[in-house]
Every structure is written in structure tokens, then in C-alpha cells.
Amino acid sequence: MSNLAVNRNFRRRGVAEDLVKAAEELARREWGYNECYLYVEKQNVPAVKLYRKLGYRPIWEDDSAKTLLPTESGKVKNVSTTIVCMKKRVGGLRSIFPF
């Protein structure tokens, strides 16, 4: 998954959760994948919590990543961030019984 964003006016209503579940279903049913991966900035605590709640687990972090942030003048600046790669099994019995 890439670039999941929900307008502030619609947050805390389950929209992001529904979008993630729809993407997982598409990957599993239509494309035959049994795992989903995503990247999230570690500082985006609400997103990390959501993904953990949905069964994603971190597999690695990159603390040398960069991201773009808007400035008050309307420009963007390149700043350091930590990216977390998370993974979830979405198909087969191992998604239910991961042992």
C-alpha cells in the first residue's frame, strides 16, 4: 500500500481501516497475494497503531529516510524521518494460525 490519506474531517470514522481492508482483499482475491507490505513514518503514531491493530507487524526500519514537509512560505523542505516497513499475511491458514 502506498499513500493512504484521509481528510481530517473524516478521520476517526473507520475510513482508513475500510480502505486497508479493501486493499488487502484486492491483493488476496484478485492478484493472489498472501502477504501485504506497507511503509509508514514511525512518527505517524496513529497510523502505526491502526496498522498494528489490523495485524501488521514491523519487519525493518530505515532511519536514514527523507520526507518532504511544507513550510509556512509554501515551499517544501527535505527532512530526515524513520520509515517502518510492516507486513501482514492475508491469505491461507497461516493468517489465522501464525505458528
Side-chain angles (χ1 to χ4, degrees):
M1 280 178 277
S2 178
N3 297 322
L4 173 63
V6 176
N7 183 291
R8 282 188 174 94
N9 297 330
F10 296 95
R11 291 182 186 162
R12 309 288 304 157
R13 298 183 187 184
V15 174
E17 185 171 340
D18 289 346
L19 290 169
V20 171
K21 288 178 179 178
E24 292 171 355
E25 188 68 12
L26 177 71
R28 188 178 66 80
R29 284 192 179 202
E30 300 296 323
W31 300 334
Y33 291 108
N34 62 4
E35 296 174 329
C36 283
Y37 293 82
L38 59 84
Y39 298 138
V40 62
E41 288 189 46
K42 189 174 187 175
Q43 68 188 14
N44 188 347
V45 175
V48 172
K49 282 183 177 181
L50 170 67
Y51 298 138
R52 283 184 175 275
K53 172 184 151 188
L54 294 175
Y56 285 84
R57 297 296 173 249
I59 55 174
W60 56 259
E61 292 185 9
D62 178 2
D63 61 1
S64 66
K66 300 286 186 182
T67 191
L68 297 175
L69 285 181
T71 65
E72 289 186 21
S73 67
K75 296 182 180 186
V76 293
K77 64 180 178 177
N78 205 357
V79 298
S80 296
T81 191
T82 299
I83 295 293
V84 180
C85 179
M86 301 180 84
K87 171 183 166 181
K88 176 183 176 182
R89 290 195 54 84
V90 294
L93 291 178
R94 288 195 56 137
S95 63
I96 301 168
F97 303 107
F99 42 84

